[in-house]
Amino acid sequence: MEATLSPQSLGKPGLASDLRAFWAIVNREWTIFKRYPSWIIALLIWPLIFPMMYILTARALSGVDGSGMTVFTQTTGATNYIGYIVIGTTVWMWQNIVLWDVGFALRNEQMRGTLESNWLSPTWRFSYLLGHTGPQIITMTTFILITAVEFGLIFGVRLNGNPWLALLIMLASIPAIYGLGFAFASIVITAKEAHTFVFLVRGLVMIFCGITFPVSLLPGWMQSIAEWMPQTYMIHGMRSAAFANASFADLLPDLKALLLFGAFWLTLGYLLFNWMERRARQTGAIGQY
Amino acid sequence: MEITALSQPTVAAQLRALWIIAKKDWKVFWRYPLNAVSHVFQPIIWVTPVYFMGKAFSTNGQALGFAQYSGTGDYMSYVLLGTALSNFILTVFWGMGFALKEDMDAGVLESNWLTPVSRLHILVGRTLTSLLTTTITSLIMLAVSALLFGFRPTGNVVAAILTAIPMLIGLYGFGFAFAGIVLLMREANTLVDVSSFLVQGFSGANFPVKSLPYWLIPVSLMLPLTYGFDAVRGFLLKTSTLFPLNVEVTILIVFMFVMLWFGAWIFNRIERKVRTLGTLGQH
């Protein structure tokens, strides 16, 4: 008599267990985050010092008699150069932090040697990335609030527009920013040279999206590239909403572009993750670094 | 009873250790070749927004407002030189503080600490390869930037290099003290990023410190690197300097001796404390 034996996993994954796994990852990330108190310094200092270096450069470029500032106002149409720079640099920092945090989520596990063992657990693997995103959104919201408070109090930056519309632009940007992070996480774990990829992506944002200058100053071919980057629309939309008193109708082109980019990057992020996961199991390379 | 170590390290042994550490870092650096490309292009990426921002402030390609503070309207040469010097500052900060953190994470710090090599030598060794690669990549960066943005040094190159040497040696003192803090805090990224960014910013890496708000100028004048940036630019770009060049060079030489002594003192004290607490291997 021949007996057949079908191997059965001890774990029985379901929606509830996936949610529990997601929550466990959120909890773990939050615990690790709190364990290194220097994040408090980062959260208070970075929103101020990163834009400040560009602001101080702008101050030097404007000259003792402010003649350079007159030229800047004529070129950009911006009367508040501090607010103009703060919005551009904050969007850059947001994308940069997401690339490091979400993009490195799996790579850090790989470096610690825990990725393989996590992969063996009967959980929905995408929850590893989603779990990282939860605490990240909370810290980024705090980060942006701190930026607004610091520049409001120290530099006297005041909004000349509708803060709710600025918030709407930020919300519409979330899918594109985090979708890019998901796609990035999968590429990084396959290619392994993570730092270089972060430098490349954030570098593109820095060069093409007009973080400290209007995109119209770029040569034509660079403007064409800028049109394919969601951060260009985020920066433009937020500047218009916060400082140019733009209406909802004025912001509609930026909102549409951001939502389309969001759908694209989320889909691509998910597909790349699935591809990476299958490839990792086939090649057995998940634990190598 | 007197306990004698089995090994009796000599000067030659210490030098061999430095060589081995540098060789190991060299191997690791080239294991990730994209990093080398990144070292060249990363600084160019950082100065690109400044280039376009400068255009928004310029009339007929001349930043006349900038010239009122610095004595030159060629703001890109000014910024590019600051960027090249900043690369070296980062190398010392990253090279020591971050290397310690890497060793902590990889779990090799304790075993390295058990070797009969001076701990300060271990720290210095971790910067040797970085200094070489930074020199190579910075020269390439300046060459590429010269094509993209224009870089026009018109002054005395030898005097500028000789001025940069005491500044860099003094930075090792900063690096020692900083590595001690990393040992204690067990976290390097934020510390390294924030402090090097602030020190570079307030030393005038990207702009003349004279343009700072009046309440920030004393902070800048207290940083010896301010005189380093200022003097090197004075020699190479013939910009107007804060003080006469010989005064600035003297400040840099004094800074070199004081910082080396002070940094080593801080590091040794913290290192002993960490060994007493038994937290060396924790991260």
Side-chain angles (χ1 to χ4, degrees):
Chain A
M1 201 179 75
E2 209 171 275
T4 53
L5 189 72
S6 60
Q8 214 173 2
S9 167
L10 286 173
K12 294 283 187 198
L15 179 66
S17 68
D18 285 344
L19 286 174
R20 272 200 306 277
F22 169 75
W23 182 242
I25 292 161
V26 170
N27 245 321
R28 184 199 61 181
E29 287 308 308
W30 188 245
T31 309
I32 294 174
F33 180 66
K34 286 188 302 184
R35 177 64 192 79
Y36 297 97
S38 60
W39 63 266
I40 299 173
I41 302 170
L43 215 53
L44 290 174
I45 289 185
W46 275 121
L48 189 66
I49 63 170
F50 184 71
M52 207 164 80
M53 290 307 156
Y54 284 108
I55 291 166
L56 293 174
T57 308
R59 200 181 143 92
L61 285 162
S62 66
V64 182
D65 59 2
S67 55
M69 192 54 69
T70 315
V71 180
F72 180 80
T73 308
Q74 283 164 359
T75 315
T76 61
T79 45
N80 185 339
Y81 79 101
I82 296 179
Y84 188 91
I85 291 172
V86 168
I87 284 189
T89 48
T90 303
V91 167
W92 182 87
M93 284 193 285
W94 188 4
Q95 185 66 77
N96 180 43
I97 295 171
V98 168
L99 288 176
W100 285 111
D101 283 0
V102 180
F104 268 66
L106 300 177
R107 177 69 178 154
N108 286 339
E109 296 273 1
Q110 198 178 35
M111 296 295 280
R112 285 189 214 123
T114 51
L115 189 65
E116 269 184 310
S117 44
N118 285 346
W119 234 239
L120 290 172
S121 65
T123 44
W124 180 40
R125 281 160 196 156
F126 198 63
S127 63
Y128 293 120
L129 276 182
L130 284 182
H132 275 269
T133 310
Q136 218 287 326
I137 289 181
I138 295 171
T139 48
M140 270 326 297
T141 310
T142 316
F143 185 91
I144 291 168
L145 281 175
I146 289 173
T147 308
V149 170
E150 285 180 341
F151 278 92
L153 291 177
I154 301 172
F155 289 92
V157 174
R158 296 285 178 271
L159 292 185
N160 175 28
N162 188 336
W164 297 109
L165 286 177
L167 185 67
L168 185 67
I169 294 279
M170 280 167 61
L171 288 175
S173 309
I174 287 177
I177 287 201
Y178 287 88
L180 182 61
F182 295 154
F184 189 75
S186 307
I187 294 171
V188 159
I189 204 158
T190 312
K192 297 190 171 64
E193 287 193 79
H195 292 77
T196 311
F197 278 97
V198 174
F199 294 155
L200 176 73
V201 176
R202 72 179 195 182
L204 291 175
V205 176
M206 193 168 250
I207 292 172
F208 292 100
C209 300
I211 65 167
T212 57
F213 54 87
V215 176
S216 58
L217 273 180
L218 293 170
W221 66 271
M222 289 178 83
Q223 287 186 40
S224 308
I225 295 174
E227 283 171 14
W228 287 95
M229 300 180 70
Q231 296 83 0
T232 307
Y233 301 93
M234 284 169 65
I235 294 173
H236 181 261
M238 283 179 68
R239 277 180 186 150
S240 309
F243 295 111
N245 213 7
S247 65
F248 180 78
D250 297 329
L251 296 174
L252 217 50
D254 290 324
L255 283 168
K256 273 185 194 166
L258 284 172
L259 292 174
L260 280 174
F261 275 115
F264 170 77
W265 279 110
L266 276 183
T267 312
L268 187 71
Y270 188 71
L271 291 176
L272 273 175
F273 181 84
N274 283 335
W275 166 79
M276 180 277 296
E277 198 235 324
R278 224 177 22 247
R279 184 183 174 276
R281 277 189 291 154
Q282 278 167 353
T283 58
I286 195 111
Q288 294 172 6
Y289 58 92
Chain B
M1 194 176 81
E2 196 177 297
I3 301 170
T4 315
L6 286 174
S7 59
Q8 297 294 330
T10 58
V11 176
Q14 299 286 349
L15 288 175
R16 268 201 307 278
L18 282 179
W19 170 246
I20 296 293
I21 294 168
K23 214 167 122 181
K24 185 255 304 173
D25 285 341
W26 181 257
K27 263 189 187 169
V28 173
F29 182 81
W30 290 109
R31 176 65 189 79
Y32 301 93
L34 273 181
N35 274 342
V37 180
S38 164
H39 276 226
V40 172
F41 287 101
Q42 190 63 9
I44 297 175
I45 288 168
W46 280 87
V47 298
T48 304
V50 179
Y51 172 71
F52 285 109
M53 186 166 77
K55 283 181 108 172
F57 282 88
S58 301
T59 314
N60 299 325
Q62 280 296 310
L64 300 175
F66 190 79
Q68 292 167 9
Y69 285 115
S70 64
T72 173
D74 180 11
Y75 70 95
M76 273 319 283
S77 294
Y78 191 96
V79 171
L80 283 170
L81 190 56
T83 307
L85 286 173
S86 300
N87 286 347
F88 288 94
I89 296 175
L90 276 173
T91 296
V92 179
F93 269 102
W94 282 103
M96 294 202 242
F98 200 70
L100 277 188
K101 176 63 179 162
E102 268 180 357
D103 287 352
M104 275 181 203
D105 287 346
V108 295
L109 186 71
E110 275 183 308
S111 43
N112 286 348
W113 240 236
L114 289 172
T115 60
V117 180
S118 152
R119 273 120 211 187
L120 289 177
H121 285 171
I122 294 179
L123 292 180
V124 173
R126 295 302 301 266
T127 63
L128 294 179
T129 291
S130 326
L131 278 179
L132 180 62
T133 53
T134 303
T135 308
I136 298 168
T137 51
S138 294
L139 287 174
I140 300 173
M141 185 273 288
L142 283 177
V144 175
S145 303
L147 291 174
L148 291 173
F149 311 119
F151 177 61
R152 288 170 284 272
T154 49
N156 188 339
V157 179
V158 178
I161 292 173
L162 288 176
T163 307
I165 289 172
M167 178 175 81
L168 277 179
I169 298 175
L171 270 173
Y172 271 88
F174 258 121
F176 291 150
F178 199 73
I181 296 169
V182 171
L183 271 187
L184 200 63
M185 300 276 289
R186 283 169 264 154
E187 207 272 350
N189 273 358
T190 308
L191 282 171
V192 170
D193 276 352
V194 171
S195 52
S196 61
F197 196 82
L198 280 176
V199 169
Q200 278 178 70
F202 291 131
S203 315
N206 286 331
F207 47 80
V209 295
K210 280 182 246 176
S211 70
L212 284 169
Y214 69 92
W215 53 275
L216 275 176
I217 290 179
V219 178
S220 219
L221 294 179
M222 277 189 285
L223 292 169
L225 290 178
T226 303
Y227 308 102
F229 278 114
D230 202 43
V232 171
R233 282 183 180 125
F235 280 120
L236 207 55
L237 303 176
K238 297 179 180 166
T239 50
S240 53
T241 53
L242 292 165
F243 297 106
L245 283 167
N246 56 350
V247 175
E248 294 196 336
V249 172
T250 310
I251 293 173
L252 287 172
I253 292 170
V254 172
F255 156 73
M256 176 179 78
F257 288 112
V258 172
M259 269 322 291
L260 276 180
W261 168 80
F262 183 67
W265 182 75
I266 292 268
F267 177 80
N268 287 329
R269 275 188 75 97
I270 295 181
E271 194 258 346
R272 213 170 68 194
K273 184 177 171 64
V274 169
R275 276 194 292 152
T276 314
L277 293 170
T279 56
L280 191 66
Q282 293 177 4
H283 62 95

